[in-house]
Amino acid sequence: MNEHVVSFFDSVISKQKTADLPIEILLNDIRNGKWAKQILKIRSTADKKERDLLKRKLPASTISCTTNGSHKASDVLCHSGLIQVDIDDIKQREAYQLKEELSKDPLIHSCFLSPSEKLKGTIKIIPDIKLQALQAESIAKYFQDKYKQVIDLACKDITRLMFMSFDQDLHYNSNSLVFDKIDSYPKRKNNYNQ
């Protein structure tokens, strides 16, 4: 059964999705090298500006949702039950070591090298659009406390696109636990005029 369906785009500049796919298909494609040629070119390019241009041509996916076409917030259809985790402030050697460590964490759904050989992953969360930002902040605290790592909080955006990558040693745990800890809830305004 495919419980985590996401929207797939031909590139980050695509205005319309190509398809809705189970995340497992995309993870298998990352592991099996569907985009290996593009990724290896990015990794071997020294110039940052050129690397960024090459990355913009990569396929991407809205990991946290399916959409009604574009990757605008107004087009969100439903939550996928996943959130993307990006660790960008890490050296290549440390990324490999941390990936090994994360693969033992029962909360990690997937973990793999990004196009720039940083670290990306997915975590199962409560599939609630309104809780996405709070869950992202709680996950950031978890990574800071447990791994001393800063994750990119831009991933709290439900329509945040994740570049496809290449990592033959991608870690995938379909039986990972749901991260359901929320450190704080939104403050509700009292409405006395009801």
Side-chain angles (χ1 to χ4, degrees), residues 120-133:
K120 283 196 177 294
T122 56
I123 294 178
K124 292 179 188 174
I125 59 173
I126 301 164
D128 186 326
I129 293 167
K130 293 176 184 167
L131 292 179
Q132 172 100 2

Side-chain angles (χ1 to χ4, degrees), residues 129-165:
I129 293 167
K130 293 176 184 167
L131 292 179
Q132 172 100 2
L134 288 171
Q135 291 184 93
E137 290 167 12
S138 297
I139 289 169
K141 185 178 183 319
Y142 175 78
F143 270 78
Q144 180 63 54
D145 292 349
K146 185 164 184 176
Y147 297 107
K148 308 297 181 238
Q149 295 293 329
V150 175
I151 65 169
D152 185 350
L153 270 176
C155 294
K156 66 183 175 180
D157 173 4
I158 193 166
T159 60
R160 172 88 170 172
L161 288 171
M162 181 180 82
F163 290 118
M164 295 299 100
S165 191

Side-chain angles (χ1 to χ4, degrees), residues 2 6 15-16 32-33 38 51 65 78 94 99 107 130 136 155 157 191:
N2 300 311
V6 299
K15 301 281 189 227
Q16 291 291 315
N32 295 330
Q38 291 167 275
R51 270 197 325 268
C65 67
C78 65
E94 292 168 354
K99 186 176 80 162
L107 289 168
K130 293 176 184 167
C155 294
D157 173 4
N191 188 352

Side-chain angles (χ1 to χ4, degrees), residues 51-115:
R51 270 197 325 268
D52 289 343
L53 286 171
L54 290 170
K55 283 197 325 193
R56 291 181 59 77
K57 295 176 184 175
L58 284 173
S61 175
T62 54
I63 294 302
S64 293
C65 67
T66 54
T67 72
N68 193 26
S70 78
H71 47 88
K72 294 179 184 174
S74 58
D75 274 347
V76 170
L77 288 175
C78 65
H79 203 291
S80 69
L82 294 172
I83 192 167
Q84 177 182 177
V85 174
D86 282 349
I87 301 173
D88 297 323
D89 190 20
I90 192 168
K91 293 185 171 107
Q92 181 184 359
R93 191 185 66 219
E94 292 168 354
Y96 282 88
Q97 291 170 346
L98 182 58
K99 186 176 80 162
E100 187 72 28
E101 199 175 337
L102 291 175
S103 70
K104 297 171 187 148
D105 188 324
L107 289 168
I108 303 300
H109 175 258
S110 74
C111 186
F112 53 95
L113 297 175
S114 72

